[in-house]
Amino acid sequence: VTRDENGEPETAYGIGIDVTAQEREKEKYDKARKQMSVVHSDSVASFHLNITMNWCGEGQSGMDDLLKQQEPGTADGYFSEFAKRIADEDIKAEFINRFTRENLIKKFAEGKLTETFEYPTIHKDGIRHWRQLKLYMLQNPETGDLEAYTYGIDIDEQKNNEHLLKTVSRHSYNFLA
């Protein structure tokens, strides 16, 4: 106990705040961010976006031309560069309408944490390939910003199998394997 100049006990006040919930959110965010920063094994490219602050970076890919998508440094620029790679005008228009920062913020507020999108692209070899964009959203508990991780997944085999099954199923067969 401390005493004032007259020898009287001094009064001290303290305030405690339970930060358990905030710390749990931070741990959850850190764990999710760590998991998402690891490139999917079937991914051709991945990027980190801050949707709120309009930032893009931390791109990873074995293909240098895909890394150019982050050159603008913004999420808007990333989506714009991404759209240029889509080899079908109708699919490109759908992408441009769906993948805006405003739409993603709205979807996140509605509880949707992921977005997927399938699209064709033409490679340097002139061959059409199919890809799937997987976008995962999470909120940074420290800043309140909405962040996202995107992955481009090669789905050529899946699309080829779908086409084959569709073609074969048009014929009358008693058994397909």
Side-chain angles (χ1 to χ4, degrees), residues 3 5-6 20 25 33 57 59 68 100-101 117 135 143:
R3 302 198 179 267
E5 63 272 353
N6 298 328
T20 305
E25 282 301 311
R33 184 167 151 71
K68 292 179 182 178
T100 65
R101 290 185 313 118
F117 190 81
L135 182 139
T143 65

Side-chain angles (χ1 to χ4, degrees), residues 1-173:
V1 175
T2 59
R3 302 198 179 267
D4 64 15
E5 63 272 353
N6 298 328
E8 297 295 319
E10 291 184 322
T11 304
Y13 297 96
I15 297 175
I17 299 173
D18 185 1
V19 294
T20 305
Q22 291 93 333
E23 284 301 311
R24 282 192 185 127
E25 282 301 311
K26 185 177 180 318
E27 287 173 11
K28 184 177 162 184
Y29 167 80
D30 289 341
K31 182 178 179 181
R33 184 167 151 71
K34 186 175 182 179
Q35 287 175 333
M36 287 188 221
S37 68
V38 177
V39 178
H40 282 247
S41 61
D42 56 352
S43 175
V44 294
S46 68
F47 297 90
H48 178 202
L49 310 173
N50 184 316
I51 304 298
T52 305
M53 300 302 292
N54 195 21
W55 173 87
C56 173
E58 300 177 12
Q60 298 179 36
S61 178
M63 299 180 217
D64 290 339
D65 63 317
L66 293 179
L67 292 175
K68 292 179 182 178
Q69 293 173 117
Q70 72 183 354
E71 284 181 358
T74 64
D76 291 335
Y78 166 79
F79 291 130
S80 177
E81 290 299 314
F82 190 101
K84 292 176 185 176
R85 298 182 172 282
I86 299 173
D88 178 288
E89 291 304 315
D90 291 336
I91 295 173
K92 183 185 296 189
E94 181 186 351
F95 176 84
I96 290 169
N97 288 329
R98 280 182 54 193
F99 287 85
T100 65
R101 290 185 313 118
E102 294 78 17
N103 282 347
L104 293 173
I105 290 168
K106 180 182 173 192
K107 291 204 182 266
F108 185 80
E110 294 169 353
K112 188 156 187 186
L113 306 179
T114 62
E115 285 288 323
T116 59
F117 190 81
E118 294 180 358
Y119 61 96
T121 185
I122 305 293
H123 282 242
K124 291 177 188 176
D125 58 11
I127 298 174
R128 182 178 176 133
H129 295 274
W130 279 91
R131 301 287 183 256
Q132 181 182 64
L133 171 69
K134 290 186 178 184
L135 182 139
Y136 300 94
M137 296 183 281
L138 68 161
Q139 188 168 29
N140 184 322
E142 292 182 356
T143 65
D145 292 350
L146 176 59
E147 297 181 9
Y149 285 86
T150 67
Y151 301 93
I153 310 296
D154 182 336
I155 59 168
D156 271 340
E157 186 174 334
Q158 172 191 329
K159 285 295 189 180
N160 289 337
N161 288 340
E162 286 173 10
H163 177 72
L164 181 63
L165 186 59
K166 198 181 290 184
T167 302
V168 170
S169 65
R170 287 186 197 139
H171 301 286
S172 297
Y173 294 106

